[in-house]
Amino acid sequence: MKILAPLERIEVYLVKLPLVTPFATSFGVETHKEALLLKITCGGVVGWGECVASPAPFYSSETNQTALHILKDFLIPVLKTVKELSIEDVLTAFSRVRGHTMAKAALENALLDLLARRREIPLYKLLGGTPKKIMSGISIGIKASPTELVEAISQALQKKYHRVKMKIKQGRDLEYIAAVRREFPKIDLMVDANSAYSLDDLDLLAEFDRFRLTMIEQPLDYDDIYLHSLAQKRMQTPLCLDESIKSLRDARAAVQLGSCKVINIKQGRVGGMLEAAAIARYCRDHDIGAWSGGMLETGIGRGFNLHLQTLPGFNLPGDTSATSRYFKEDVVTPPVELDKDGYISIPGGVGTGVRVLEDRVERWAVYWEKLL
Ligand code: OSB
Ligand code: MG
């Protein structure tokens, strides 16, 4: 994937959008989505990328401020040293910077969108994907009572979401899952613990087997692979790793150790679309389920997640929900919507296919800087 040079301008916006409903997980409650957006201009064409980091290091160690620092002081200076700007050369140059996968992914996003728009092709085509309708899935935060949760799930099912994920934590688990299963015995249901448990809780986690969950996401430590292999041996329900997988190497380790049967692939968490594609291929070749996760992205990030799911290996519904579930006013058009069967269409047109509404970006921006 070549022909990018010379980049004319790189700008960063930090936007802060109010969420329609607060999103509660085992690591905290989010009332706003704060997103770092990158705008790259080259030859009169503009590409956009989004960083999936949060304001606080509670999901992963990166934050929007660390991403800004790494982009500004390391990744963008590295870009200037790459002679021929192919994406592969850029990624090789980035590999000198250790970690900071979310910062790297944001820049890779923007470059891929730019490249596809310059070639006047949709992003999935640039990536080698097959266009299709994408399955939808919803991730429902921790609610104040099982009744409230059942009500939220009932609303999601009316919209035809293909699978439901519910967030859990210590003390908000058995009773909540039991209530949901009583009401909806047959739905595709999974839980996400965001590292709320430890090895001492294996008996409790094994009790979840009776609920016939399709998987339990990230029950143990955010950076662990080995302990999850012990947990997987003790339970029937497939484990899915999210936080622990930051690269193809991590995915290999997890699969070979038997730490999970499914991987939640977030392109931002693993350092970008190309690494995400490689993990999905690896999953396909090793009979491991794979789906695209979400980070409450604006329509920019969600556009990338949609195109990603056209690639081989993504065989399960992910965390791609309708825009209206997150924001009253997003920064792109068209919004993500579900059809009557719960499927989502890839936005048509070149690049990610979404059009960034710059007046809205400006309206919600709390910070702007020219980085190149
Ligand atoms: O663990 O998958 C997660 C949101 C923010 C941080 C972590 C997670 C999530 C979600 C929501 O589950 C996914 C989405 O709808 O974007
Ligand atoms: Mg998760």
Side-chain angles (χ1 to χ4, degrees), residues 5-262:
L7 301 180
E8 282 148 34
R9 202 175 154 88
I10 304 182
E11 292 160 83
V12 63
Y13 290 89
L14 186 64
V15 293
K16 190 173 174 185
L17 306 177
L19 291 173
V20 172
T21 35
F23 189 74
T25 63
S26 64
F27 61 82
V29 183
E30 295 175 69
T31 58
H32 289 75
K33 172 65 194 179
E34 193 189 280
L36 204 60
L37 305 178
L38 280 180
K39 177 185 178 187
I40 304 191
T41 310
C42 171
V45 177
V46 171
W48 285 87
E50 173 169 348
C51 179
V52 303
S54 310
F58 302 153
Y59 165 83
S60 81
S61 58
E62 286 183 89
T63 68
N64 287 323
Q65 292 304 322
T66 68
L68 181 58
H69 160 54
I70 294 296
L71 282 160
K72 188 156 89 176
D73 298 330
F74 298 100
L75 300 179
I76 289 173
V78 158
L79 259 194
K80 292 186 210 158
T81 69
V82 182
K83 282 196 206 77
E84 203 173 347
L85 281 178
S86 79
I87 296 283
E88 291 79 4
D89 293 341
V90 169
L91 296 184
T92 305
F94 284 178
S95 65
R96 186 170 175 211
V97 174
R98 297 187 177 177
H100 299 284
T101 48
M102 294 176 176
K104 289 173 183 169
L107 196 45
E108 191 214 57
N109 273 191
L111 291 169
L112 287 171
D113 185 40
L114 176 71
L115 188 50
R117 286 178 196 265
R118 287 200 57 175
R119 290 206 200 157
E120 302 187 340
I121 55 173
L123 180 60
Y124 69 76
K125 204 160 184 185
L126 186 73
L127 299 170
T130 312
K132 57 177 182 193
K133 286 187 175 167
I134 305 300
M135 287 183 284
S136 62
I138 191 164
S139 171
I140 298 184
I142 298 170
K143 300 291 180 191
S145 67
T147 317
E148 253 185 65
L149 175 62
V150 165
E151 176 51 31
I153 293 179
S154 157
Q155 284 177 21
L157 294 172
Q158 280 166 27
K159 300 201 172 81
K160 304 289 183 202
Y161 278 100
H162 293 126
R163 76 100 168 93
V164 172
K165 157 166 141 182
M166 53 181 275
K167 294 284 190 179
I168 56 166
K169 65 176 184 179
Q170 299 269 8
R172 301 273 178 95
D173 41 34
L174 281 178
E175 193 195 350
Y176 282 68
I177 309 169
V180 173
R181 259 304 177 227
R182 218 176 298 124
E183 201 67 30
F184 311 108
K186 293 209 175 115
I187 60 166
D188 180 344
L189 179 69
M190 60 170 290
V191 297
D192 186 359
N194 288 112
S195 302
Y197 300 90
S198 75
L199 268 197
D200 298 338
D201 301 311
L202 288 196
D203 288 338
L204 171 67
L205 292 172
E207 277 191 62
F208 294 3
D209 283 345
R210 70 184 149 100
F211 298 120
R212 303 173 320 281
L213 302 172
T214 45
M215 66 195 88
I216 303 173
E217 186 175 339
Q218 198 72 35
L220 307 180
D221 303 271
Y222 73 94
D223 57 354
D224 166 75
I225 293 177
Y226 173 63
L227 299 180
H228 280 93
S229 76
L230 304 182
Q232 183 66 91
K233 286 186 184 74
R234 290 273 299 278
M235 61 189 69
Q236 295 286 312
T237 310
L239 291 185
C240 168
L241 289 179
D242 171 357
E243 284 90 329
S244 300
I245 307 298
K246 302 192 91 172
S247 63
L248 175 60
R249 272 186 290 113
D250 288 343
R252 280 209 185 102
V255 170
Q256 312 236 328
L257 276 170
S259 305
C260 64
K261 295 178 180 158
V262 183

Side-chain angles (χ1 to χ4, degrees), residues 282-304:
Y282 180 81
C283 287
R284 183 199 56 184
D285 295 345
H286 292 81
D287 227 354
I288 295 293
W291 49 276
S292 160
M295 290 292 285
L296 310 176
E297 292 95 336
T298 76
I300 297 177
R302 224 151 268 280
F304 286 93

